[in-house]
């Protein structure tokens, strides 16, 4: 294995992250000049984190300097992707950790005084999960809040995709990295040169982010809040700079804009590239897109009917009470369904108080997720659709064994190998969900209810963030033991890399030969 070239490229990535931290410090300095005194400590913390990144990045780059990338196969790509997330998260967590120790006295308690909490928060950011250990988010300075949002924005299309787009040294090896990093079983609609593909995806990503920032500002949201929420919406991450998330604005217009961009973020970005080629017919004919929108619509209608039938008042995240028979109920249902299905994790209401049937639909949407090639989590619509078609085909074979019918999705025939791979993934991820719930119950020693453990496992494995009960819409993960938070940090990364890209590193055969 070409370890030294992997180290060289990893060092370059840490230097890129350090450069971003320096840019953040410049923003914090501007805030300080504007009179925000708390930003002085944030500047020190950010520059300290950048310094650590530069030191380790330089060491890794120097260790691998001059090493040729000619020998760069799938094993090297998998290793580089995994190490990128582990070490990148460590650097991303340092501004939180340094700020807590520079700002607070020894007798002042804060979640960020624990490095494990900081690592959990940064992993949740970069994997776009949205789970947090914080109970008072608004106590953080604006610079730290911006970095918290930026970690999700960077993780949205993946640090490695940015890596491929920005750094030319990878050459053709970038293709291997790209296909390890981008989620889902398909990568249609992209350009032949993989670096051009990554760059094109980032242009689309930035354009959609800018469009949402402007839209939220026009709805009355301050520029800073609009930027933070746009960063975390397009990344389907869900970090908000406010304790009440988007529910604190009490604005239907803001909720509707956010719904639109959450839905857009859950679409395969390759389809957006098709639109840039003026190929709208391919966009609207895409089977996965149609199933995705239909699933979301059906779930929204079902939740709306359940809420209206129950008639119970809806409590928002900032404590307001909405009558269940108002038109706002439809918006609340649509918001939470799109937020959960796209794995964004924003909340406008405390859905933990909703009827059981509505919560069951939201849990189901955690599993289903968005489209392949999007920033959303979950199993992915295309996998679920193919798995359903395989089951239906097997049922048909039970009474018509001589019928041979090709399995198609749209105009594409699904070959047997892909069927097996998808069914293996679906079965494996459901088994991992159960294993995660059991592990949380063991680590918490009875402090976590079964609902809490099961939903926390699903919410982190499918990178959704909030779950139910003790980790619900208005709760957080800060009360859990360090062992659980370490486990869930690994669980988030496992879900973000869709299991196999990380699980193979645990196999002894991976390191031999």
């Amino acid at each position: 294995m070409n370890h030294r070239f992997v180290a060289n490229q990893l060092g370059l990535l840490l230097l890129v992250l350090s450069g971003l931290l320096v840019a953040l410090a410049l923003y914090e300095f501007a805030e300080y000049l504007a009179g925000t005194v708390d930003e002085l400590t944030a500047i020190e913390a950010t520059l300290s984190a950048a310094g650590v990144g530069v030191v380790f990045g330089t060491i890794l780059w120097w260790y691998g300097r001059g090493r040729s990338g000619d020998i760069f196969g799938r094993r090297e790509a998998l290793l580089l992707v995994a190490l990128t997330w582990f070490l990148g998260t460590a650097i991303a967590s340092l501004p939180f950790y340094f700020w807590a120790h520079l700002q607070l006295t020894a007798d002042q308690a804060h979640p960020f005084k624990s490095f494990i909490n900081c690592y959990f928060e940064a992993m949740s950011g970069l994997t776009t999960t949205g789970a947090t250990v914080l109970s008072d988010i608004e106590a953080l300075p604006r610079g730290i809040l911006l970095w918290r949002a930026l970690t999700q924005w960077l993780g949205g299309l993946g640090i490695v995709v940015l890596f491929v787009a920005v750094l030319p040294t990878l050459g053709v090896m970038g293709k291997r990295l790209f296909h390890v990093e981008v989620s889902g079983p398909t990568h249609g609609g992209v350009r032949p040169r993989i670096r051009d593909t990554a760059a094109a995806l980032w242009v689309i990503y930035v354009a959609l982010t800018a469009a949402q920032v402007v839209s939220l500002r026009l709805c009355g949201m301050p520029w800073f809040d609009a930027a933070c929420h746009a960063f975390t919406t397009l990344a389907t991450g869900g970090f908000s700079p406010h304790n009440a998330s988007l529910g604190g604005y009490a604005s239907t217009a803001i909720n509707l804009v956010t719904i639109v961009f959450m839905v857009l973020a859950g679409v395969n970005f390759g389809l957006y590239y098709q639109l840039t080629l003026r190929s709208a017919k391919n966009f609207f004919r895409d089977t996965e897109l149609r199933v995705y929108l239909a699933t979301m619509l059906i779930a929204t209608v079902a939740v709306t009917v359940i809420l209206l039938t129950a008639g119970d008042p809806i409590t928002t995240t900032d404590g307001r009470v909405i009558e269940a028979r108002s038109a706002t109920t439809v918006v609340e249902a649509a918001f939470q369904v799109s937020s959960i299905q796209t794995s964004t994790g924003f909340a406008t209401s405390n859905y933990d108080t909703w009827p059981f049937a509505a919560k069951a639909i939201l849990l189901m949407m955690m599993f289903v997720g968005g489209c392949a090639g999007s920033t959303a989590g979950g199993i992915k619509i295309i996998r679920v659709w193919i798995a359903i078609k395989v089951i239906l085909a097997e049922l048909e074979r039970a009474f018509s064994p001589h019928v041979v019918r090709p399995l198609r999705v749209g105009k594409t025939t699904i070959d047997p190998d892909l069927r097996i791979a998808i069914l293996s993934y679906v079965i494996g991820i459901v088994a991992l969900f159960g294993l995660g719930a059991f592990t949380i119950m063991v680590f918490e020693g009875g402090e976590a209810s079964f609902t809490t453990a099961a939903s926390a496992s699903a919410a982190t494995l499918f990178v959704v963030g909030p779950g139910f009960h003790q980790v619900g819409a208005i709760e957080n993960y800060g009360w859990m033991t360090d062992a659980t938070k370490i486990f869930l940090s690994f669980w988030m990364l496992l879900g973000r890399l869709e299991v196999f890209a990380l699980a193979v590193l645990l196999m002894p055969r991976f390191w031999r030969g």
Side-chain angles (χ1 to χ4, degrees):
M1 184 178 290
N2 197 345
H3 296 96
R4 297 189 67 175
F5 185 73
V6 169
N8 177 266
Q9 298 302 302
L10 186 60
L12 288 175
L13 180 64
L14 293 185
L15 291 175
V16 170
L17 279 178
S18 300
L20 292 174
L21 286 169
V22 172
L24 175 67
L26 294 177
Y27 166 79
E28 292 168 338
F29 183 67
E31 286 283 350
Y32 175 70
L33 293 178
T36 309
V37 179
D38 289 345
E39 295 297 334
L40 184 60
T41 306
I43 294 171
E44 296 176 17
T46 303
L47 290 178
S48 299
V52 174
V54 168
V55 170
F56 281 95
T58 303
I59 291 173
L60 289 169
W61 172 82
W62 182 85
Y63 171 73
R65 75 193 191 288
R67 185 67 175 178
S68 172
D70 294 338
I71 305 174
F72 193 92
R74 286 193 62 83
R75 291 194 303 164
E76 284 81 4
L78 289 164
L79 180 60
L80 181 53
V81 166
L83 291 178
T84 292
W85 287 95
F86 281 120
L87 295 185
T89 299
I91 297 300
S93 67
L94 292 179
F96 305 144
Y97 185 74
F98 288 151
W99 171 82
H101 285 271
L102 290 170
Q103 177 72 23
L104 306 174
T105 60
D107 59 339
Q108 287 181 290
H110 194 277
F112 282 169
K113 282 196 168 183
S114 164
F115 181 75
I116 291 175
N117 284 339
C118 296
Y119 194 87
F120 178 95
E121 195 81 8
M123 181 65 81
S124 180
L126 288 173
T127 58
T128 72
T129 304
T132 183
V133 297
L134 298 172
S135 57
D136 188 5
I137 299 169
E138 296 171 9
L140 297 176
R142 286 163 69 95
I144 299 299
L145 288 173
L146 181 60
W147 177 244
R148 189 169 171 265
L150 278 172
T151 58
Q152 294 204 320
W153 193 74
L154 290 171
L157 280 182
I159 292 177
V160 176
V161 176
L162 173 65
F163 192 35
V164 173
V166 172
L167 299 176
T169 55
L170 285 176
V172 296
M173 285 81 74
K175 183 175 183 179
R176 296 190 179 96
L177 277 180
F178 184 84
H179 286 290
V180 169
E181 169 63 22
V182 176
S183 62
T186 61
H187 307 288
V190 294
R191 303 172 73 171
R193 293 182 59 191
I194 205 68
R195 189 179 174 212
D196 290 344
T197 296
L201 291 177
W202 268 95
V203 168
I204 295 169
Y205 191 54
V206 171
L208 287 173
T209 303
Q212 188 183 359
V213 171
V214 174
S215 299
L216 291 174
R217 183 67 187 94
L218 291 175
C219 291
M221 186 179 286
W223 281 113
F224 177 82
D225 290 7
C228 287
H229 285 108
F231 288 156
T232 54
T233 301
L234 268 298
T236 62
F239 275 164
S240 171
H242 295 289
N243 296 332
S245 189
L246 283 168
Y249 295 97
S251 169
T252 301
I254 288 175
N255 292 347
L256 290 173
V257 166
T258 307
I259 289 171
V260 169
F261 282 94
M262 285 192 294
V263 173
L264 291 176
V267 175
N268 187 337
F269 273 65
L271 293 178
Y272 295 136
Y273 177 67
Q274 292 290 326
L275 287 179
T276 66
L277 299 178
R278 299 180 182 179
S279 182
K281 64 179 182 180
N282 290 335
F283 183 92
F284 294 107
R285 289 178 180 175
D286 184 74
T287 301
E288 185 182 26
L289 176 63
R290 292 179 176 183
V291 176
Y292 165 67
L293 295 177
T295 302
M296 189 173 290
L297 177 61
I298 292 170
T300 298
V301 171
V303 171
T304 301
V305 170
I306 292 168
L307 292 177
L308 292 176
T309 302
D312 297 329
I314 297 174
T315 303
T316 64
T317 52
D318 64 342
R320 292 177 295 110
V321 177
I322 301 173
E323 291 299 325
R325 300 198 178 278
S326 67
T328 311
T329 304
V330 180
V331 178
E332 291 294 323
F335 188 97
Q336 290 309 149
V337 168
S338 56
S339 177
I340 295 296
Q341 183 173 348
T342 61
S343 77
T344 307
F346 280 138
T348 54
S349 60
N350 183 12
Y351 54 79
D352 208 37
T353 62
W354 288 5
F356 174 80
K359 291 190 287 186
I361 292 174
L362 293 181
L363 180 62
M364 189 185 306
M365 292 301 101
M366 284 188 189
F367 281 79
V368 172
C371 298
S374 72
T375 60
I379 294 174
K380 300 294 189 301
I381 288 289
I382 190 65
R383 288 196 183 102
V384 174
W385 186 240
I386 291 174
I388 291 173
K389 291 179 78 71
V390 169
I391 292 172
L392 293 176
E394 291 302 313
L395 288 174
E396 184 182 18
R397 286 184 59 188
F399 61 83
S400 298
H402 301 295
V403 174
V404 178
R405 198 189 309 277
L407 182 65
R408 299 180 184 276
V409 174
K411 296 182 179 180
T412 304
T413 301
I414 306 301
D415 61 72
D417 289 342
L418 184 56
R419 297 185 204 181
I420 294 172
I422 288 175
L423 287 177
S424 299
Y425 179 85
V426 172
I427 294 171
I429 203 74
V430 172
L432 286 173
F433 156 70
L435 175 62
F438 173 76
T439 304
I440 294 169
M441 293 287 288
V442 171
F443 284 167
E444 290 304 315
E447 293 298 319
S449 67
F450 175 76
T451 300
T452 298
S455 64
S457 177
T460 50
L461 188 60
F462 300 128
V463 295
V464 175
F468 298 101
H469 201 196
Q470 292 164 279
V471 291
I474 60 173
E475 306 296 337
N476 61 78
Y477 289 74
W479 57 273
M480 290 183 163
T481 63
D482 286 347
T484 301
K485 282 179 278 195
I486 292 172
F487 170 74
L488 291 180
S489 295
F490 174 77
W491 224 230
M492 288 186 276
L493 184 55
L494 192 70
R496 179 63 178 85
L497 296 182
E498 301 203 325
V499 182
F500 295 119
L502 187 61
V504 294
L505 301 183
L506 304 178
M507 298 178 63
R509 289 183 60 189
F510 176 84
W511 303 97
R512 294 199 298 263

PDB file of all heavy atoms in Angstrom, residues 393 396 403-408 419:
ATOM      1  N   ALA A 393     -40.710  -9.140  -7.607  1.00  0.00           N
ATOM      2  CA  ALA A 393     -40.326 -10.118  -8.637  1.00  0.00           C
ATOM      3  C   ALA A 393     -40.249 -11.523  -8.046  1.00  0.00           C
ATOM      4  O   ALA A 393     -40.657 -12.505  -8.686  1.00  0.00           O
ATOM      5  CB  ALA A 393     -38.990  -9.722  -9.255  1.00  0.00           C
ATOM      6  N   GLU A 396     -43.685 -12.881  -7.576  1.00  0.00           N
ATOM      7  CA  GLU A 396     -44.239 -13.344  -8.849  1.00  0.00           C
ATOM      8  C   GLU A 396     -43.689 -14.716  -9.213  1.00  0.00           C
ATOM      9  O   GLU A 396     -44.408 -15.582  -9.725  1.00  0.00           O
ATOM     10  CB  GLU A 396     -43.941 -12.337  -9.956  1.00  0.00           C
ATOM     11  CG  GLU A 396     -44.574 -12.711 -11.293  1.00  0.00           C
ATOM     12  CD  GLU A 396     -44.239 -11.723 -12.395  1.00  0.00           C
ATOM     13  OE1 GLU A 396     -43.266 -10.957 -12.238  1.00  0.00           O
ATOM     14  OE2 GLU A 396     -44.945 -11.724 -13.417  1.00  0.00           O
ATOM     15  N   VAL A 403     -41.666 -17.647 -15.519  1.00  0.00           N
ATOM     16  CA  VAL A 403     -41.628 -16.295 -16.076  1.00  0.00           C
ATOM     17  C   VAL A 403     -40.255 -15.671 -15.826  1.00  0.00           C
ATOM     18  O   VAL A 403     -39.769 -15.653 -14.695  1.00  0.00           O
ATOM     19  CB  VAL A 403     -42.726 -15.407 -15.447  1.00  0.00           C
ATOM     20  CG1 VAL A 403     -42.578 -13.963 -15.919  1.00  0.00           C
ATOM     21  CG2 VAL A 403     -44.098 -15.952 -15.790  1.00  0.00           C
ATOM     22  N   VAL A 404     -39.632 -15.200 -16.889  1.00  0.00           N
ATOM     23  CA  VAL A 404     -38.346 -14.512 -16.781  1.00  0.00           C
ATOM     24  C   VAL A 404     -38.558 -13.074 -17.235  1.00  0.00           C
ATOM     25  O   VAL A 404     -38.821 -12.816 -18.407  1.00  0.00           O
ATOM     26  CB  VAL A 404     -37.257 -15.181 -17.645  1.00  0.00           C
ATOM     27  CG1 VAL A 404     -35.950 -14.393 -17.534  1.00  0.00           C
ATOM     28  CG2 VAL A 404     -37.065 -16.631 -17.235  1.00  0.00           C
ATOM     29  N   ARG A 405     -38.493 -12.166 -16.279  1.00  0.00           N
ATOM     30  CA  ARG A 405     -38.771 -10.767 -16.569  1.00  0.00           C
ATOM     31  C   ARG A 405     -37.599  -9.909 -16.089  1.00  0.00           C
ATOM     32  O   ARG A 405     -37.214  -9.981 -14.916  1.00  0.00           O
ATOM     33  CB  ARG A 405     -40.053 -10.339 -15.866  1.00  0.00           C
ATOM     34  CG  ARG A 405     -40.667  -9.050 -16.428  1.00  0.00           C
ATOM     35  CD  ARG A 405     -41.816  -8.575 -15.532  1.00  0.00           C
ATOM     36  NE  ARG A 405     -42.764  -9.627 -15.254  1.00  0.00           N
ATOM     37  CZ  ARG A 405     -43.754  -9.981 -16.058  1.00  0.00           C
ATOM     38  NH1 ARG A 405     -43.879  -9.386 -17.228  1.00  0.00           N
ATOM     39  NH2 ARG A 405     -44.605 -10.935 -15.701  1.00  0.00           N
ATOM     40  N   PRO A 406     -36.991  -9.108 -16.962  1.00  0.00           N
ATOM     41  CA  PRO A 406     -35.874  -8.264 -16.519  1.00  0.00           C
ATOM     42  C   PRO A 406     -36.349  -7.212 -15.521  1.00  0.00           C
ATOM     43  O   PRO A 406     -37.465  -6.685 -15.642  1.00  0.00           O
ATOM     44  CB  PRO A 406     -35.383  -7.617 -17.812  1.00  0.00           C
ATOM     45  CG  PRO A 406     -36.555  -7.668 -18.737  1.00  0.00           C
ATOM     46  CD  PRO A 406     -37.302  -8.922 -18.391  1.00  0.00           C
ATOM     47  N   LEU A 407     -35.503  -6.943 -14.538  1.00  0.00           N
ATOM     48  CA  LEU A 407     -35.821  -5.928 -13.529  1.00  0.00           C
ATOM     49  C   LEU A 407     -35.307  -4.578 -14.027  1.00  0.00           C
ATOM     50  O   LEU A 407     -34.107  -4.408 -14.252  1.00  0.00           O
ATOM     51  CB  LEU A 407     -35.171  -6.296 -12.193  1.00  0.00           C
ATOM     52  CG  LEU A 407     -35.463  -5.350 -11.026  1.00  0.00           C
ATOM     53  CD1 LEU A 407     -36.942  -5.384 -10.676  1.00  0.00           C
ATOM     54  CD2 LEU A 407     -34.631  -5.735  -9.809  1.00  0.00           C
ATOM     55  N   ARG A 408     -36.213  -3.630 -14.192  1.00  0.00           N
ATOM     56  CA  ARG A 408     -35.835  -2.327 -14.731  1.00  0.00           C
ATOM     57  C   ARG A 408     -36.206  -1.206 -13.766  1.00  0.00           C
ATOM     58  O   ARG A 408     -37.224  -1.278 -13.078  1.00  0.00           O
ATOM     59  CB  ARG A 408     -36.530  -2.075 -16.072  1.00  0.00           C
ATOM     60  CG  ARG A 408     -36.188  -3.067 -17.170  1.00  0.00           C
ATOM     61  CD  ARG A 408     -36.937  -2.715 -18.451  1.00  0.00           C
ATOM     62  NE  ARG A 408     -36.715  -3.687 -19.495  1.00  0.00           N
ATOM     63  CZ  ARG A 408     -35.680  -3.685 -20.323  1.00  0.00           C
ATOM     64  NH1 ARG A 408     -34.759  -2.739 -20.214  1.00  0.00           N
ATOM     65  NH2 ARG A 408     -35.543  -4.617 -21.255  1.00  0.00           N
ATOM     66  N   ARG A 419     -28.401  -6.167  -7.766  1.00  0.00           N
ATOM     67  CA  ARG A 419     -29.510  -6.560  -6.890  1.00  0.00           C
ATOM     68  C   ARG A 419     -28.981  -7.110  -5.565  1.00  0.00           C
ATOM     69  O   ARG A 419     -29.456  -6.736  -4.488  1.00  0.00           O
ATOM     70  CB  ARG A 419     -30.369  -7.638  -7.561  1.00  0.00           C
ATOM     71  CG  ARG A 419     -31.046  -7.219  -8.833  1.00  0.00           C
ATOM     72  CD  ARG A 419     -31.956  -8.342  -9.305  1.00  0.00           C
ATOM     73  NE  ARG A 419     -32.205  -8.277 -10.734  1.00  0.00           N
ATOM     74  CZ  ARG A 419     -32.970  -9.119 -11.396  1.00  0.00           C
ATOM     75  NH1 ARG A 419     -33.559 -10.114 -10.748  1.00  0.00           N
ATOM     76  NH2 ARG A 419     -33.156  -8.999 -12.693  1.00  0.00           N
TER      77      ARG A 419
END
